[in-house]
Amino acid sequence: MHAPCRHRSRRVATLVTALAVACLCAPAAAATPIGVGDVSANDSDPNVSHVAPYVPGDPRAVLQAVPARRDPAVRNLLALRRALDASPKDLRAADALARAYIDFGRQLGDAHYAGYAEAVIAPWMAQPEPPPVALVLQATILQFRHQFDDARVLLKQALARDPRNAQAWLTTATLDMVQGRYPSAGAACAKAARYGGRETGIACAANLHSYTGQARQAIVLLRQIETDAPSVSPSFRAWVQGLMAEASERLGDWSAAEAHYRKALAATPDDNFLQVAYADFLLDRNRAAEVLPLLANSLQSDTAYLRVALAHAALGDADTARFTWTMAARFEALTQRGSDYYGREQVRFALYLQHDPESALKLALQNWNVQRAPWDARVLLEAAKAAGRPAAAKDALAFLADTH
């Protein structure tokens, strides 16, 4: 690969981190979840969320499957870790390792890696005036945790010191889009385009168009960079195809959406974010049976596990109660750890697995106060309809009418 392509790949890899609202999810066991005993021997109601700690009786019991050291991504992390250990004061080495942790956590759906990234940059964040690079990284981690206000504070600090920081502008645009602040997002995209280059500007603009009722224009823009796919990384190809799939869904073009999802997964078959998005597509198309093999190897991810539970429920099979019980235990574990950034997932769990529309509506309204992406509007509308309280969604309906 020629040097310009290497440079473009690095810039685009940064885009993937900035523009994808990652579903970083706390891990649970692939076989027996940590904190959950033998379900078959437990007389608890399937929907009970308070469970006793699980202590394995067999030392050979598998509590959690972890990535193998032979995994290329793991080898890359180990190499970056060694580089930082050799030069612990090198901010560039810390930045590379922290971003690799964030990307890997996004791929697996494992929030632990965001914590690892936070630990890497902690020495720089502890300085009286943290460098912009560290501020933007910390803001990205806070964004993943849905601590949006705190993330904005750090981004403003970074941009005050480095107004040409394209990554900071991209992350600001992402936050604005997630929270429905589209005019502000447009301004941030313009800055990102000015300082980040062609791919940056096109990607940011396309993402914004897709959010504001201009999905056709978004696809036209994305096709301009789709042609670059042969010369860039698989993650970039997957990312572009994923955006095109979402835009096609918003147009109701199901065959095109599926084709783009399949292309995205062909490039990065183990990407949790894409797997979950495609699983939602399949659930919407009444193809729940296809969700089970798609996510069979991704049950460590809570977002993937929820889709498997929803698929079992849609199929009406006997495993639904077990998956519902385990999902409740996972949400309880997240609550005990202080994680409150699974709003839309909790709404869907309450509505479609616990069959409690009032609780779902309450959760949906709380979530709507924090973020207003398309899925957030959707779950609020679904919960309000199920609860027989359409007026409760009036703010969401007004938002949709205003933003298209």
Side-chain angles (χ1 to χ4, degrees), residues 190-209:
K191 293 285 189 180
R194 180 177 180 182
Y195 301 124
R198 174 176 176 269
E199 293 94 345
T200 301
I202 291 175
C204 200
N207 220 25
L208 181 57
H209 279 20

Side-chain angles (χ1 to χ4, degrees), residues 39-40 59 65 69 84 94 99 180 215 218 230 233 245 258 261 280-281 284 290 375:
V39 176
S40 63
R69 291 176 70 90
L84 180 59
R99 291 199 179 281
S233 68
E258 179 155 21
Y261 275 127
D280 283 336
F281 172 86
D284 278 347
E290 297 175 52
W375 259 105

Side-chain angles (χ1 to χ4, degrees), residues 66-91:
V66 298
R69 291 176 70 90
R70 64 178 177 273
D71 185 316
V74 174
R75 291 203 302 268
N76 180 55
L77 287 171
L78 292 173
L80 293 172
R81 179 78 259 182
R82 288 192 294 269
L84 180 59
D85 289 343
S87 303
K89 295 184 179 181
D90 186 346
L91 179 56

Side-chain angles (χ1 to χ4, degrees), residues 10 26 40 110 114 132 152 180 206 250 301 304 310-311 320 325 343 396:
R10 286 197 299 271
S40 63
D110 188 341
R152 287 183 185 279
R250 288 167 189 157
S301 158
L310 291 169
T320 301
W325 187 88

